[in-house]
């Protein structure tokens, strides 16, 4: 059986398929998907690269249908209506809505099944759990700093979904949004009362191109401000594991200095 033709309308799904070694199955992606490091994407179907079919919320579904995909990948509640519209076009859709860190990791295996690489999906999920276990061991029994994570700055929004889990997995406390809840506008007074030890800024769509002073100069912020590439925290893709590891080293640098030294001996 030939490899399935896949159209990914979600950047997180595209990144996950690439991590599964399935980038060559992608015949269509959105303008927001990043395959710069996957030069062979689309080559299994005789294409130099996948066709860009529009934005992640407003793709051209007629163009998607013309690509004759076996499956269209969508993700997040914001794409649920889009998933329905794809089905109305007669397209088979694999829609996933991860809300927590566990959901995101389980989703790696699910995406493997979606694109005909189930074993690769299971391996990717197992690797992710192993990485989380290693972080947990490194930060165990250490004081947990209180952390405020900002996903959007106008208005300021405290990050939700899997970010509270990511902070906890990295050895921090996150009293602003419960894991699995959507990101929401934050009350500055609530941040002041929580008195965070660290502020992490990962503005959606801005990468790491945010001046930390724009947050640090607020009269309700009194903590070091760290800017992290938003792709490491805002996407339920394998990049999220790098995000957890980055946070853990930020919160507990001594723990990883010791661990890294042990690895070298």
């Amino acid at each position: 059986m030939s490899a399935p033709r896949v159209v990914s309308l979600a950047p997180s799904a595209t990144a996950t398929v690439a991590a599964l070694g399935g980038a060559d199955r992608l015949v269509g992606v959105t303008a927001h998907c990043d395959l710069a490091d996957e030069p062979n994407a689309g080559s299994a179907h005789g294409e130099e690269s996948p066709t860009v079919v529009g934005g992640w919320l407003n793709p051209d579904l007629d163009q998607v249908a013309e690509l004759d995909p076996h499956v269209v990948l969508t993700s997040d509640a914001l794409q649920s209506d889009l998933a329905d519209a794809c089905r109305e076009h007669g397209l088979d859709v694999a829609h996933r809505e991860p809300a927590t860190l566990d959901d995101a990791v389980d989703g790696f295996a699910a995406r493997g099944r979606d694109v005909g690489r189930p074993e690769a999906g299971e391996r990717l999920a197992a690797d992710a759990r192993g990485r989380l276990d290693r972080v947990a061991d490194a930060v165990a029994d250490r004081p947990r700093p209180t952390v405020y994570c900002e996903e959007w700055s106008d208005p300021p929004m405290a990050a939700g979904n899997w970010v509270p889990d990511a902070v906890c997995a990295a050895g921090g406390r996150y009293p602003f949004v419960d894991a699995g809840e959507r990101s929401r506008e934050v009350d500055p007074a609530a941040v002041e009362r929580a008195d965070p030890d660290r502020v992490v800024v990962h503005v959606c769509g801005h990468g790491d191109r945010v001046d930390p002073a724009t947050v640090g100069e607020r009269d309700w912020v009194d903590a070091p401000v760290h800017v992290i590439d938003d792709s490491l925290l805002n996407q339920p893709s394998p990049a999220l594991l790098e995000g957890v590891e980055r946070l853990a080293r930020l919160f507990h640098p001594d723990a990883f200095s010791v661990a890294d030294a042990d690895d070298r001996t």
Side-chain angles (χ1 to χ4, degrees):
M1 179 178 176
S2 62
R5 298 172 60 85
V6 179
V7 171
S8 174
L9 301 182
S12 62
T14 301
T16 302
V17 171
L20 292 168
D24 59 349
R25 302 182 178 202
L26 292 166
V27 297
V29 296
T30 75
H32 298 96
C33 296
D34 184 6
L35 280 172
D37 296 328
E38 299 293 337
N40 295 322
S43 62
H45 303 287
E47 301 174 12
E48 291 185 359
S49 60
T51 299
V52 175
V53 296
W56 79 287
L57 290 178
N58 58 347
D60 183 335
L61 296 188
D62 289 333
Q63 188 177 23
V64 172
E66 288 173 1
L67 293 172
D68 192 26
H70 293 93
V71 64
V72 176
L73 309 181
T74 56
S75 182
D76 194 273
L78 293 175
Q79 285 195 315
S80 59
D81 288 345
L82 176 60
D84 290 339
C86 287
R87 295 185 184 102
E88 291 172 2
H89 271 69
L91 300 166
D92 287 333
V93 179
H95 180 72
R96 309 289 177 185
E97 289 190 17
T100 65
L101 182 57
D102 281 343
D103 290 346
V105 172
D106 289 344
F108 303 159
R111 285 305 187 199
R113 296 190 295 273
D114 293 340
V115 301
R117 293 187 61 84
E119 293 180 357
E122 294 292 345
R123 287 194 299 270
L124 186 61
D127 176 72
R129 295 187 186 101
R131 290 169 70 177
L132 290 173
D133 287 344
R134 288 190 288 275
V135 171
D137 289 343
V139 304
D141 302 322
R142 291 177 177 268
R144 288 179 168 265
T146 299
V147 182
Y148 166 60
C149 291
E150 185 164 291
E151 182 182 307
W152 192 251
S153 295
D154 187 21
M157 296 183 69
N161 298 312
W162 44 82
V163 172
D165 283 335
V167 171
C168 183
R173 290 181 60 252
Y174 192 76
F176 303 100
V177 182
D178 289 337
E181 294 186 356
R182 303 292 293 187
S183 302
R184 61 171 177 257
E185 188 170 349
V186 72
D187 178 0
V191 177
E192 282 189 297
R193 287 193 299 271
D195 191 22
D197 302 292
R198 304 273 186 175
V199 174
V200 176
V201 179
H202 49 106
V203 177
C204 187
H206 285 63
D208 59 1
R209 300 178 302 279
V210 177
D211 183 355
T214 61
V215 175
E217 292 172 352
R218 298 172 186 162
D219 58 10
W220 48 275
V221 172
D222 184 22
V225 177
H226 310 274
V227 175
I228 289 180
D229 193 307
D230 75 284
S231 67
L232 301 183
L233 290 179
N234 294 351
Q235 278 189 16
S237 75
L240 184 55
L241 279 300
E242 183 179 342
V244 171
E245 292 163 347
R246 183 78 60 87
L247 291 180
R249 284 178 165 78
L250 180 64
F251 303 160
H252 303 286
D254 292 345
F256 291 91
S257 296
V258 172
D260 292 343
D262 289 344
D263 287 343
R264 289 193 296 269
T265 60

